[in-house]
C-alpha cells in the first residue's frame, strides 16, 4: 500500500513532466520550494490536469496558475507544536555558572519551541497528497529552508534536548527514525519522499545509546533494538563491499555511500541538470546523478572530498567520484554501531547477537587500521578504492575515528591525531577547525566553513581520552567555539548552520558557499552549544559579553525573575 503511494508521489515530486517543467522554468529561486508544496488533488488528477494543458505550460502565466491551483505553500502540512516536556528552567542549566551563558542557553532552550513541529493527521490519511513523510511524534526541524527532520542532524539535536531535559521529545525523535526503518527499511536523508533514495550518516544507534545514558530507560532500548539491527542490515545489504587479498579471499568488509539516482536531485533539480548538460549519454548522466546523490548521503554536500584531487579537474564538481571513496568517518560510524549493538545485546542477554556484533566490531577496527590509518602521518584518511591509495588531504572528518573510538587501546593514537592537526596548521584557526584546506573551493563543506557537528566530534574525541593534555586541548577548542558563536549571536541574534572561521577577521560569522544561502535556526548548532555548556559550563566564563552596567543588572534581573517565576 505505502509502496504504491510512494510510487505515485514519485511521479510528481521525484521525476516526470510537472517536476521538470516547473523546475526548468525557474519559477522559484530555490529548487527545494516546489518539491515541498503539498497537493490539492490526488497525483493522478494532478498529472491529468497538467497533461490537458499540453504545450500551453510553456507560458509562464499558465504554468504559475497551474501550480497555484494545484499546490499548497510549503509548511502547511505541519503544525507548530508546543513540546509537553518543555519547562522554563531545566535544572541542568544551574551547571552553567556564567549568567550570560546561562541566559544564552535559556534562549536556545526556548528555540526548541520555535523549531518543534508535528505532522498533521491528514498526512497519515492522505499521504498521496504530500511530499512530507508521515512520522507519529513531534520533532525538531533544523530551521530555515529545512522544514522536515534530517537524519544526522537529529543526533546533535538530541544531545541538546537531553541537556534541556526534554526526554519525552528526545524519545519521540528517535521513535520517528525507527518508524522510518520499520516502514521504509532505512532512515532516509530527511523526511521527504524525494529523500527516499538515500540515507545519511548512520547515527540512530548512537542516538539510542545517548538517550539510554541520560535516562537509563532500558525498556525503550529493548523495544527498539530489533529496529537498530534492521538498520544495520540495510547498510550491510546496500552499502557494504568486501576487501579481498590478491587471491580474492575476503579480508574485511568496508562501507561506502552509494545511492542510485536516475534523475537530478528533485530539491536541486536545476543545479544537477545543468551540471550534466555536457554529458553525451544517459548512462553518463545517471552515473553523475548517482555520484551527486551519494555525496548528499554523506551529509557533506558538497565538498572537494568527493571531487578529483588532481589534474585539470582538480576540485571541480563535475569530476565528482563519491563511489571511488571509502570514507573514514562512515566506517568509523559503522564501527561504533557494531560496538554499541554488541553491548546492547549483552544487556538484553542475547549472546548469539553479541558474537555477531563483536565480530563486526573486530572487522571494523581491522578496516580502520588497514584502509584508513596512515602510519607516517599518524591519522586516518579516506581510502581511494579506485586508485588504491589514501586521499592524503586534510579534512576534519579524518579525526572522526577518534570520536568513534575505533582503534585498539593505544595511548599513542590520540596524541598522533593531535600532532597531525597541529602540523596541518588547523589548530591555529582560533575560532574553530576549518572543514578542509581546499581554498579554491566554493562548496560549503570546505575551507573556512566550520560545521558544529564536526567541531563537536573532535572536541569529544579528545575530551573522552582521559589524557590530561588532550583534555586541555578539547577544553581550549570548546571555549573558542563557544566564545566565537556567542559573540556572533550577540551581534546578529542568529544561530547559523555553519560558521566562517577565517583567521583574517576578528569576528566569527555565518558560513557561506554551496547551493543555498546560509540558514539560521539552527537545530544542530544549538544542540552542540547546549552539550558543550553541559560539559564546560562550570569552567567557561564570558570574556565577550556586553559589558555595560545596565546589561549586567538587566540580565541578573531576568535570571532572578525566571527563578522567582519557577518557585512561585
Ligand atoms: O538541498 C540541498 C541539500 O540540503 C541538505 O544538506 C544540508 O543540510 C542538511 C540539513 O541541515 C544537512 O544534514 C546536510 O549535511 C547539509 O549539507 C540535504 O541534506 C541534502 O540532501 C540536500 O541535497
Amino acid at each position: 500500500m505505502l509502496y504504491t503511494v510512494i510510487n505515485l508521489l514519485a511521479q510528481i515530486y521525484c521525476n516526470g513532466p510537472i517536476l521538470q517543467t516547473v523546475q526548468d522554468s525557474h519559477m522559484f529561486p530555490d529548487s527545494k520550494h516546489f518539491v515541498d508544496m503539498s497537493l490539492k488533488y490526488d497525483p493522478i488528477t494532478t498529472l491529468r490536469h497538467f497533461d490537458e494543458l499540453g504545450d500551453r505550460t510553456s507560458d509562464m502565466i499558465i504554468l504559475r496558475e497551474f501550480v497555484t491551483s494545484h499546490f499548497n505553500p510549503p509548511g502547511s502540512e505541519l503544525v507548530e507544536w508546543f513540546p509537553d516536556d518543555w519547562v522554563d528552567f531545566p535544572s541542568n542549566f544551574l551547571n552553567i555558572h556564567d549568567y550570560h551563558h546561562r541566559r544564552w542557553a535559556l534562549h536556545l532552550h526556548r528555540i526548541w519551541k520555535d523549531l518543534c513541529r508535528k505532522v498533521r493527521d491528514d498526512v497519515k490519511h492522505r499521504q498521496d497528497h504530500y511530499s512530507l513523510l508521515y512520522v507519529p511524534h513531534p520533532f525538531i526541524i533544523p530551521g530555515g529552508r529545512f522544514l522536515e527532520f534530517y537524519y544526522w542532524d537529529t543526533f546533535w539535536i538530541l544531545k541538546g534536548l537531553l541537556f534541556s531535559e526534554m526526554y519525552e521529545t528526545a524519545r519521540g525523535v528517535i521513535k520517528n527514525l525507527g518508524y522510518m526503518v520499520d516502514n521504509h527499511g532505512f532512515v532516509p536523508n530527511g523526511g521527504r519522499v524525494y529523500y527516499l533514495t538515500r540515507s545519511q550518516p548512520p547515527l540512530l544507534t548512537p542516538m539510542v545509546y545517548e538517550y539510554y545514558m541520560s535516562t537509563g530507560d532500558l525498556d525503550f532500548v529493548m523495544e527498539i533494538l530489533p529496529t537498530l539491527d534492521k538498520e544495520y542490515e540495510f547498510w550491510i545489504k546496500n552499502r557494504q563491499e568486501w576487501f579481498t587479498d590478491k587471491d580474492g579471499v575476503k579480508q574485511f568488509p568496508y562501507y561506502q555511500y552509494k545511492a542510485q539516482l536516475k534523475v537530478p536531485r528533485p530539491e536541486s533539480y536545476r543545479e544537477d541538470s545543468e551540471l550534466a548538460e555536457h554529458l553525451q549519454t544517459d548512462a553518463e548522466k545517471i552515473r553523475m546523478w548517482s555520484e551527486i546523490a551519494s555525496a548528499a548521503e554523506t551529509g557533506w554536500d558538497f565538498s572537494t572530498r568527493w571531487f578529483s584531487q588532481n589534474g585539470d579537474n582538480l576540485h571541480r564538481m563535475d569530476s565528482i567520484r563519491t563511489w571511488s571513496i571509502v570514507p573514514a568517518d562512515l566506517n568509523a560510524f559503522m564501527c561504533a554501531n557494531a560496538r554499541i549493538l554488541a553491548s546492547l545485546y549483552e544487556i538484553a542477554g542475547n549472546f548469539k547477537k553479541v558474537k555477531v556484533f563483536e565480530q563486526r566490531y573486530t572487522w571494523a577496527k581491522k578496516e580502520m587500521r588497514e584502509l584508513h590509518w596512515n602510519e607516517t602521518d599518524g591519522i586516518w584518511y579516506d581510502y581511494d578504492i579506485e586508485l588504491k591509495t589514501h586521499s592524503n588531504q586534510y579534512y576534519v572528518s579524518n579525526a572522526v575515528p577518534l570520536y568513534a573510538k575505533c582503534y585498539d587501546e593505544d595511548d599513542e593514537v590520540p596524541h598522533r591525531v593531535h600532532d597531525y592537526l597541529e602540523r596541518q596548521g588547523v589548530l591555529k584557526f582560533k575560532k574553530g577547525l576549518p572543514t578542509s584546506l581546499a581554498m579554491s573551493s566554493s562548496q560549503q563543506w570546505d575551507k573556512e566553513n566550520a560545521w558544529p557537528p564536526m567541531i563537536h566530534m573532535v572536541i569529544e574525541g579528545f575530551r573522552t581520552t582521559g589524557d590530561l593534555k588532550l583534555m586541555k586541548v578539547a577544553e581550549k577548542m570548546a571555549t573558542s567555539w563557544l566564545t566565537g558563536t556567542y559573540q556572533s549571536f550577540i551581534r546578529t541574534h542568529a544561530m547559523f548552520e555553519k560558521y566562517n572561521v577565517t583567521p583574517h577577521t576578528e569576528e566569527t560569522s555565518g558560513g557561506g558557499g554551496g547551493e543555498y544561502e546560509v540558514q539560521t535556526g539552527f537545530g544542530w548548532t544549538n544542540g552542540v552549544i547546549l552539550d558543550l555548556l553541559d560539559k564546560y559550563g562550570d569552567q567557561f566564563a564570558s570574556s565577550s559579553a556586553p559589558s555595560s552596567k545596565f546589561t549586567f543588572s538587566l540580565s541578573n534581573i531576568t535570571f532572578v525573575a525566571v527563578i522567582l517565576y519557577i518557585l512561585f
Side-chain angles (χ1 to χ4, degrees):
M1 167 66 174
L2 188 58
Y3 185 71
T4 320
V5 171
I6 300 295
N7 269 340
L8 274 175
L9 282 170
Q11 294 179 49
I12 305 282
Y13 293 111
C14 305
N15 203 351
I18 303 181
L19 179 75
Q20 189 171 353
T21 312
V22 174
Q23 299 290 43
D24 284 351
S25 77
H26 292 214
M27 186 179 296
F28 302 106
D30 183 345
S31 302
K32 189 172 184 301
H33 186 104
F34 175 62
V35 286
D36 292 354
M37 296 174 89
S38 59
L39 288 170
K40 291 187 175 168
Y41 307 93
D42 64 80
I44 297 191
T45 309
T46 311
L47 282 163
R48 184 163 44 80
H49 287 176
F50 185 78
D51 192 48
E52 281 162 11
L53 287 175
D55 286 351
R56 281 179 293 156
T57 55
S58 56
D59 181 329
M60 194 61 168
I61 296 174
I62 293 179
L63 186 62
R64 203 180 283 281
E65 160 57 23
F66 170 79
V67 169
T68 318
S69 56
H70 288 75
F71 292 84
N72 300 303
S76 47
E77 65 278 60
L78 290 157
V79 200
E80 292 188 11
W81 192 259
F82 186 96
D84 294 341
D85 52 357
W86 191 91
V87 294
D88 291 284
F89 192 92
S91 59
N92 278 341
F93 286 28
L94 287 170
N95 195 38
I96 307 170
H97 291 181
D98 182 284
Y99 68 84
H100 289 290
H101 293 144
R102 201 185 306 119
R103 210 166 56 138
W104 184 30
L106 284 168
H107 181 85
L108 302 186
H109 176 64
R110 273 196 300 275
I111 295 179
W112 293 137
K113 290 190 292 179
D114 302 337
L115 296 177
C116 191
R117 298 285 184 282
K118 186 156 177 9
V119 178
R120 279 187 198 282
D121 284 347
D122 194 50
V123 179
K124 184 177 182 186
H125 305 309
R126 297 194 307 156
Q127 176 70 76
D128 67 346
H129 282 56
Y130 298 93
S131 69
L132 188 79
L133 297 172
Y134 175 74
V135 284
H137 303 282
F139 58 94
I140 305 292
I141 58 167
R145 71 199 278 272
F146 301 115
L147 297 174
E148 47 285 313
F149 77 76
Y150 281 79
Y151 183 5
W152 78 319
D153 297 51
T154 307
F155 179 82
W156 289 277
I157 288 170
L158 181 99
K159 294 289 292 177
L161 291 176
L162 292 174
F163 186 57
S164 278
E165 298 167 14
M166 293 169 67
Y167 304 118
E168 186 70 35
T169 308
R171 191 167 61 243
V173 301
I174 297 177
K175 278 184 161 183
N176 284 343
L177 302 187
Y179 181 88
M180 286 289 121
V181 178
D182 294 339
N183 287 278
H184 299 283
F186 71 112
V187 186
N189 181 143
R192 294 274 174 188
V193 68
Y194 54 78
Y195 283 143
L196 278 173
T197 49
R198 58 183 189 259
S199 189
Q200 255 194 340
L203 292 171
L204 176 57
T205 292
M207 284 183 225
V208 171
Y209 178 75
E210 295 291 337
Y211 170 80
Y212 175 54
M213 293 310 279
S214 290
T215 62
D217 183 353
L218 195 54
D219 289 346
F220 176 64
V221 175
M222 292 304 121
E223 190 192 310
I224 202 165
L225 196 46
T227 306
L228 304 184
D229 201 329
K230 187 172 171 190
E231 199 220 3
Y232 202 101
E233 288 301 323
F234 163 83
W235 286 87
I236 291 183
K237 197 160 164 237
N238 300 285
R239 301 292 187 267
Q240 183 194 278
E241 299 287 343
W242 280 87
F243 192 81
T244 53
D245 66 13
K246 56 181 180 352
D247 302 320
V249 179
K250 287 178 175 175
Q251 299 294 300
F252 49 81
Y254 63 88
Y255 294 87
Q256 289 181 282
Y257 292 108
K258 223 166 184 182
Q260 317 253 1
L261 196 60
K262 293 200 167 94
V263 288
R265 281 169 304 149
E267 81 285 9
S268 301
Y269 196 92
R270 223 166 35 234
E271 291 82 346
D272 293 1
S273 308
E274 282 166 13
L275 198 72
E277 233 162 42
H278 69 286
L279 298 173
Q280 305 295 320
T281 65
D282 282 352
E284 284 173 310
K285 289 185 183 187
I286 289 173
R287 179 62 188 251
M288 178 172 281
W289 290 326
S290 296
E291 298 274 7
I292 292 174
S294 303
E297 186 170 75
T298 72
W300 280 47
D301 46 324
F302 291 98
S303 168
T304 52
R305 212 178 145 194
W306 319 119
F307 305 164
S308 174
Q309 296 286 347
N310 46 48
D312 293 345
N313 287 336
L314 174 78
H315 293 174
R316 280 179 48 167
M317 173 118 181
D318 57 4
S319 70
I320 191 159
R321 50 195 296 280
T322 322
W323 286 10
S324 306
I325 307 299
V326 183
D329 47 358
L330 170 60
N331 284 279
F333 292 142
M334 290 309 291
C335 179
N337 276 301
R339 190 188 59 241
I340 296 170
L341 284 168
S343 324
L344 296 183
Y345 272 120
E346 190 164 2
I347 300 173
N350 186 339
F351 296 104
K352 212 167 137 201
K353 284 284 187 184
V354 173
K355 266 190 126 176
V356 170
F357 281 99
E358 273 177 350
Q359 174 64 72
R360 288 174 180 166
Y361 180 45
T362 306
W363 276 332
K365 282 195 292 182
K366 187 165 186 210
E367 194 269 353
M368 272 291 141
R369 265 193 322 270
E370 308 228 340
L371 282 197
H372 303 291
W373 180 251
N374 184 301
E375 185 51 29
T376 316
D377 293 356
I379 191 69
W380 301 274
Y381 286 123
D382 292 336
Y383 183 74
D384 191 318
I385 198 80
E386 202 185 309
L387 303 176
K388 300 202 177 350
T389 174
H390 280 149
S391 292
N392 257 349
Q393 296 296 320
Y394 165 79
Y395 288 103
V396 66
S397 49
N398 294 349
V400 169
L402 182 71
Y403 172 70
K405 304 256 171 291
C406 199
Y407 53 94
D408 285 315
E409 290 284 301
D410 178 350
D411 292 347
E412 270 307 294
V413 168
H415 285 277
R416 297 207 61 196
V417 173
H418 172 255
D419 295 348
Y420 165 79
L421 296 177
E422 197 152 57
R423 279 198 315 278
Q424 291 301 309
V426 290
L427 296 182
K428 289 200 197 112
F429 284 69
K430 296 285 175 248
K431 298 179 224 157
L433 290 178
T435 301
S436 79
L437 294 173
M439 293 304 166
S440 59
S441 169
S442 59
Q443 303 301 335
Q444 57 171 349
W445 285 87
D446 262 319
K447 55 179 190 173
E448 291 159 350
N449 276 343
W451 289 82
M454 304 311 296
I455 299 291
H456 182 255
M457 285 191 279
V458 178
I459 293 171
E460 283 294 274
F462 286 126
R463 187 185 69 86
T464 54
T465 54
D467 178 284
L468 285 183
K469 180 183 159 201
L470 297 178
M471 287 167 78
K472 273 273 158 228
V473 170
E475 188 188 323
K476 198 169 160 205
M477 279 182 187
T479 309
S480 312
W481 184 254
L482 288 167
T483 304
T485 49
Y486 180 66
Q487 284 171 343
S488 157
F489 168 72
I490 293 296
R491 231 180 32 252
T492 63
H493 302 290
M495 298 300 292
F496 296 100
E497 60 167 346
K498 56 187 179 259
Y499 287 87
N500 182 292
V501 290
T502 173
H504 307 304
T505 59
E506 266 297 301
E507 295 163 340
T508 305
S509 52
E515 49 187 39
Y516 57 85
E517 289 301 311
V518 64
Q519 302 295 300
T520 59
F522 195 87
W524 64 19
T525 309
N526 305 354
V528 165
I529 299 294
L530 289 174
D531 190 57
L532 292 180
L533 286 173
D534 177 17
K535 307 289 164 26
Y536 297 101
D538 57 342
Q539 309 155 33
F540 168 54
S542 59
S543 52
S544 53
S547 56
S548 83
K549 245 186 169 166
F550 174 71
T551 320
F552 176 86
S553 51
L554 192 68
S555 54
N556 267 341
I557 290 167
T558 314
F559 176 61
V560 172
V562 169
I563 294 290
L564 289 175
Y565 174 79
I566 293 162
L567 292 177
F568 304 103

